[in-house]
Amino acid sequence: MKPLVEVLLSTTAYFKSRGIPSARLDAELLIGHALGLDRVQVYLAHDRPLLEAELEPIRVLVRRRGNREPLAWIVGKREFYGRDFRVGPGVLVPRPDTETLIEALLPLVPAEGDLYVADVGSGSGCIGLTLAAERPNLRLYAIDKAEAPLAFTRENVDALGLKERVAVLRGSLLAPVPAARPIDWVVSNPPYIPTADLAGLEPEVRDQEPRLALDGGADGLDVYRALLAEAGERARVGVALEVGAGQAGAVRAMVAAAGFLEVSVHADLGGIERVVMGRRAK
Ligand code: GLN
């Protein structure tokens, strides 16, 4: 038996030695997860002696995090715009920056009347399913190229009770939506990291999160080109796209060239231009 605080301190030191920036916080969250305690309860339980039977599951989680597996994968969820999304190996973890897209788009989305949204590269589903949860009149096509992320999209559709209004589709860009089906808005957080920059990312992202969700080709803009070619034909109202740092200018021009003439750019909480939106001029 060992007091919890001792395990907490040794885990923190181990995480630091593995280069994890938020070592103490991660140690608290993982120990808490293994014991079924939140952070406050972990704090209040510092003196609690941990039995060997409690230590073993903690060690398993700590080893995974020591290998720089994303914390959200290990605890199996991440909060996004006030809701929990299930995540795990094979799917990009929702980022707070992506909430910028929700905040920029929601004021333009009426709460009544039929409305069809396509989320391209749905991953966990955090963008499209948040929109569907916020707007009960909205119908969603959640599209991804890969099966692993789509499994999480489906889990989150069920967990959020959105089954009736969401079609989960596998394929490239808008191709899985039959030509006769309407699309009003196309939303996406496409892969936008220039291939050469991937090597410089944190190990969680570089070595673990899916390359398909990150690699945007030589200049990071490959998927915007392909997606806007299709969205320009099919989106009746507009597009809302997350972009990487420094890409807003280029994507803004591409959005306008695709026929969305009312274009706006929205910064995230860090002041980085993070979202480009375009609407057809009335
Ligand atoms: N925001 C992700 C990152 O940090 C990139 C996601 C993407 O390429 N769309 O690294």
Side-chain angles (χ1 to χ4, degrees), residues 12-88:
T12 303
Y14 169 63
F15 283 171
K16 278 194 185 141
S17 78
R18 302 290 297 159
I20 294 170
S22 49
R24 169 78 182 221
L25 173 64
D26 287 13
E28 287 173 353
L29 291 172
L30 283 184
I31 292 168
H33 181 71
L35 298 173
L37 305 176
D38 65 26
R39 273 183 78 203
V40 174
Q41 292 169 324
V42 167
Y43 185 77
L44 295 174
H46 272 187
D47 295 329
R48 172 172 149 189
L50 296 181
L51 308 168
E52 186 52 34
E54 294 175 305
L55 288 171
E56 191 44 36
I58 292 174
R59 287 192 194 106
V60 173
L61 303 186
V62 166
R63 229 173 284 136
R64 288 174 67 182
R65 187 70 188 109
N67 291 330
R68 305 296 299 262
E69 186 172 335
L71 183 94
W73 284 4
I74 302 171
V75 302
K77 60 179 194 224
R78 172 58 49 92
E79 194 234 275
F80 181 83
Y81 209 77
R83 295 179 183 85
D84 274 341
F85 283 79
R86 300 184 191 184
V87 294

Side-chain angles (χ1 to χ4, degrees), residues 70-149:
L71 183 94
W73 284 4
I74 302 171
V75 302
K77 60 179 194 224
R78 172 58 49 92
E79 194 234 275
F80 181 83
Y81 209 77
R83 295 179 183 85
D84 274 341
F85 283 79
R86 300 184 191 184
V87 294
V91 73
L92 191 83
V93 175
R95 315 291 207 249
D97 294 341
T98 303
E99 296 180 339
T100 309
L101 193 156
I102 306 293
E103 267 154 19
L105 181 55
L106 270 183
L108 302 182
V109 177
E112 288 174 1
D114 285 345
L115 193 80
Y116 297 85
V117 174
D119 179 359
V120 174
S122 62
S124 63
C126 66
I127 296 176
L129 297 180
T130 296
L131 295 172
E134 294 286 330
R135 290 288 185 269
N137 54 316
L138 187 155
R139 291 180 181 275
L140 178 73
Y141 313 101
I143 305 161
D144 208 290
K145 251 175 141 164
E147 183 48 38

Side-chain angles (χ1 to χ4, degrees), residues 96-101 103 266-275:
D97 294 341
T98 303
E99 296 180 339
T100 309
L101 193 156
E103 267 154 19
H266 306 259
D268 64 23
L269 291 176
I272 292 176
E273 294 186 329
R274 183 60 67 192
V275 171

Side-chain angles (χ1 to χ4, degrees), residues 92 95 97-98 189-193 201 205 213-215 242 274:
L92 191 83
R95 315 291 207 249
D97 294 341
T98 303
N189 172 18
Y192 54 62
I193 315 254
L201 301 177
V205 187
L214 300 166
D215 186 350
E242 178 166 328
R274 183 60 67 192

